[in-house]
Amino acid sequence: MKKVLKNVSFVFLLLQLCIIFGQETSAQKRIVIDVGHGGKDAGAIGINGIQEKDVVMNIANAILKLNDELDTPLDIYLTRYTDTLISLSDRTKLAKALNADLFMSLHCNHSDNPNARGIEVYVGDATSEYSDESTWVAFQLQYTLNKKLGFESRGVKFSNFQVLRETGGYCLSVLLELGFLSNWDESEYYQKLESYQVLALVIWKNLIKKYKSDERVGNKNH
Ligand SMILES: [Zn+2]
């Protein structure tokens, strides 16, 4: 099978940050990262045995670590920090209780077709106050994950997923399906530590860029 995911250097991506750093955000934005599944709910099982609950935990931890190492420009919380199962409603309650600016749910996909691959980003109800902005965040995430890492784009989609439905009226809200564990290339990608580092960096940079540009245009909402 043709391998299309890029081998991207973490250091190279990190150096590109110089472009967007240089000014401190005045108000730290609060991000709740929903780490999908956990405990007895493994989520999708990869063709190589890797489990979705572990993949998304690793991605979330990598984002958290990166943010800490770079002087915590974002105020990031996870819905779970260990391998435990949290109900969907408790995940969304946390986002509301913390008054989050953005709720981002992390998942991986699975298909009976081993050739299915790429990234889907979901947003909730198109009528919610935050829908347009969430859709923009979703497009940006998909675009950069394709451009920087080579993940195929499968589109931004609307869905009535519970976590999106329950957070969509409170804050920006997106759900990421970060590749297919049923695809050999994409499940093998998650066997490598560097994959988590570069993926975390691309996602984190998206958030930083969003809130920096909001400041420049004086967007007071988020
Ligand atoms: Zn999932």
Side-chain angles (χ1 to χ4, degrees), residues 10 14 17 21 25 28-31 33 59-78 197 200-201 204-205 207-208:
F10 178 79
L14 193 61
L17 278 175
F21 264 122
T25 43
Q28 203 185 28
K29 296 297 178 181
R30 183 163 290 170
I31 315 293
I33 298 177
I59 297 169
N61 277 330
I63 296 172
L64 204 55
K65 182 165 175 273
L66 183 66
N67 192 59
D68 284 348
E69 285 169 357
L70 297 170
D71 293 334
T72 60
L74 298 169
D75 188 21
I76 299 178
Y77 291 83
L78 309 187
Q197 293 176 332
L201 184 53
W204 182 86
K205 256 171 77 174
L207 301 176
I208 292 288

Side-chain angles (χ1 to χ4, degrees), residues 8 29 57 77 99 108 133 206 222:
V8 182
K29 296 297 178 181
M57 187 78 254
Y77 291 83
N99 205 9
C108 294
E133 221 179 326
N206 258 275
H222 279 280

